[in-house]
Amino acid sequence: MLATTLAKDNWVGSFLGAVFVLVVGLVAGIAIAEWINAMPAESTPPVVAHRSPGAEPASWELFAFILRRNMTVFLILLLGVLSAGLVTIVVLLGNGLAVGQLIGFARTSGMSHVDVAYLLLPHGVLELGALCVAGAVGLRGIGLAFGVSAVDRRAFESLRLGTVLVFGLVALATAAFVEAFVTVEIAESLSGRW
Amino acid sequence: MVKWLERLAKLALLPVLVWFAGLAAFAVIGIDGLFAGPNPVFVIARVTAYVTVVMVAAVTTAFVAAFGLACGAMLNWLGESLDPRQIVATMSRSFWCLAAYVWLGVASLILDPPVALTVFEMSEPDALEVRVAETTAFAWMGRLRYLALIGFLATSFWLLARRTRPLNALLAVSFGVAALAAVLTGLGLLSGPSLVP
């Protein structure tokens, strides 16, 4: 039954479309980071951290912060339904670019591929997966925009926004928990290596 | 040529295209003016700023669509029979006010371009805010943004009132504003303040 529903509404195609856009952003982000690193270095003043020592947020504070920010992105991705998928494409590309640049700069600063994977994969798979689910809903806005005169209540009901929102909240809460409690520990244990 | 221009003027999405072209010109002059130079610091700043501008453009389009949807829902509830295409055309034509606003910004940036930040200023936390406040064009754009918004809403009301009862159009625009304010406030509260004090 679930497979029939997924096939009927072409959810798999929309999800793969969202993954594709994210991967394009990711590759572009890595390329930009490598391009910037290949530039001749000029004398630049040292960046001063404007943070008092010992002011690091507690894990629960960090969890709440990450969850709130990711839920905001999740909801903005859903706005693609109203903008012919435009917001979804741009936000997915932007997030891909940000993560790609992070990976690129980490690699050029001497971090190994395994360490980058340790830091990103535990929470990243769930977090980016949830964002791609929201992206799949947002991309369906393209179809809605082309048939705008035929848009009715049933077209919005087929988006299953309630299910998507509950899934997003659970998935992003789990990802934020892993990031705040596990990834931070991994980062601290790796900090001496590079 | 005249025929081509006439066809272009009839295009419902023309105001959105004019607005987007203005926003692109404003971004290029503003960003390249502030972050000029081959230093990697400026390259990163330029990339980040361009990505932000594209995101702002896309999110603005989505918010206007949400506003149009709310207006349409209210008109439907009030018993008006308006085709969704007419709502799209109304929202699109209201973009003329936003287009005029961004092109005014482009003109003022050409007349008074921003002074580029130096590498040393880039390491200061509030250098960008200070430079933006010092640039006349940015300061005036900040002051005029509410006027552009009021113009957008007034145009939406006027265009809707031509096809529906004026009171219904007024209620629809008011409901659209309230719905959009609720969405914006909700997203603002959800994202919350930064963790950095």
Side-chain angles (χ1 to χ4, degrees):
Chain A
M1 166 126 180
L2 182 70
T4 320
T5 312
L6 288 175
K8 197 182 94 186
D9 292 335
N10 196 21
W11 278 104
V12 178
S14 303
F15 181 77
L16 289 178
V19 172
F20 174 75
V21 175
L22 188 76
V23 169
V24 168
L26 205 78
V27 172
I30 294 172
I32 288 171
E34 281 173 4
W35 171 56
I36 290 169
N37 271 300
M39 286 178 173
E42 283 181 44
S43 59
T44 47
V47 178
V48 184
H50 299 280
R51 203 167 186 172
S52 49
E56 277 74 28
S59 292
W60 281 109
E61 238 183 312
L62 191 63
F63 164 77
F65 173 76
I66 294 166
L67 179 60
R68 286 164 70 154
R69 287 290 159 107
N70 285 341
M71 270 311 285
T72 310
V73 176
F74 188 86
L75 292 177
I76 290 175
L77 281 170
L78 294 179
L79 284 176
V81 169
L82 300 177
S83 61
L86 202 67
V87 174
T88 306
I89 293 170
V90 170
V91 173
L92 277 176
L93 267 178
N95 273 281
L97 268 173
V99 177
Q101 283 189 16
L102 200 76
I103 295 170
F105 286 128
R107 274 169 50 180
T108 48
S109 69
M111 198 186 265
S112 73
H113 289 82
V114 179
D115 288 352
V116 174
Y118 268 136
L119 287 174
L120 289 180
L121 288 183
H123 69 274
V125 172
L126 204 55
E127 187 179 303
L128 296 177
L131 294 184
C132 284
V133 169
V137 178
L139 287 181
R140 290 171 68 87
I142 300 171
L144 289 178
F146 278 111
V148 73
S149 54
V151 169
D152 56 5
R153 189 184 285 241
R154 223 177 298 161
F156 282 101
E157 278 172 1
S158 75
L159 296 172
R160 293 176 179 78
L161 284 176
T163 314
V164 169
L165 275 173
V166 172
F167 168 77
L169 187 63
V170 173
L172 290 176
T174 312
F177 185 85
V178 173
E179 191 172 353
F181 291 92
V182 180
T183 309
V184 170
E185 292 292 322
I186 297 172
E188 276 171 13
S189 68
L190 293 177
S191 59
R193 283 211 236 163
W194 43 272
Chain B
M1 180 72 179
V2 177
K3 256 189 182 177
W4 186 80
L5 280 174
E6 274 176 6
R7 235 183 249 175
L8 197 70
K10 277 181 190 167
L11 195 72
L13 289 176
L14 180 69
V16 182
L17 297 176
V18 174
W19 165 74
F20 189 72
L23 192 67
F26 186 79
V28 168
I29 300 169
I31 293 168
D32 284 14
L34 281 170
F35 309 116
N39 194 299
V41 174
F42 294 127
V43 179
I44 295 170
R46 283 201 295 267
V47 170
T48 311
Y50 278 120
V51 170
T52 308
V53 169
V54 176
M55 279 198 192
V56 166
V59 171
T60 305
T61 318
F63 284 150
V64 171
F67 172 71
L69 189 75
C71 287
M74 179 51 109
L75 286 172
N76 189 38
W77 188 69
L78 289 168
E80 300 279 359
S81 55
L82 220 63
D83 189 79
R85 271 187 208 171
Q86 288 173 322
I87 300 277
V88 173
T90 300
M91 291 304 123
S92 176
R93 290 198 177 113
S94 303
F95 258 84
W96 278 124
C97 292
L98 302 184
Y101 168 70
V102 287
W103 279 105
L104 192 72
V106 172
S108 49
L109 268 184
I110 291 168
L111 291 173
D112 180 26
V115 180
L117 288 158
T118 63
V119 176
F120 294 95
E121 282 174 320
M122 287 292 279
S123 64
E124 290 167 21
D126 55 350
L128 181 61
E129 282 99 62
V130 171
R131 185 58 50 85
V132 166
E134 281 170 357
T135 309
T136 318
F138 292 136
W140 271 102
M141 290 300 278
R143 281 178 208 137
L144 290 175
R145 68 187 190 277
Y146 294 112
L147 199 66
L149 186 65
I150 291 167
F152 174 85
L153 295 175
T155 314
S156 299
F157 164 70
W158 177 64
L159 290 170
L160 285 175
R162 285 169 66 187
R163 295 178 188 279
T164 61
R165 284 186 206 159
L167 186 64
N168 288 353
L170 186 66
L171 280 171
V173 171
S174 308
F175 180 68
V177 170
L180 201 58
V183 170
L184 286 170
T185 310
L187 284 175
L189 287 172
L190 186 65
S191 66
S194 168
L195 269 184
V196 180

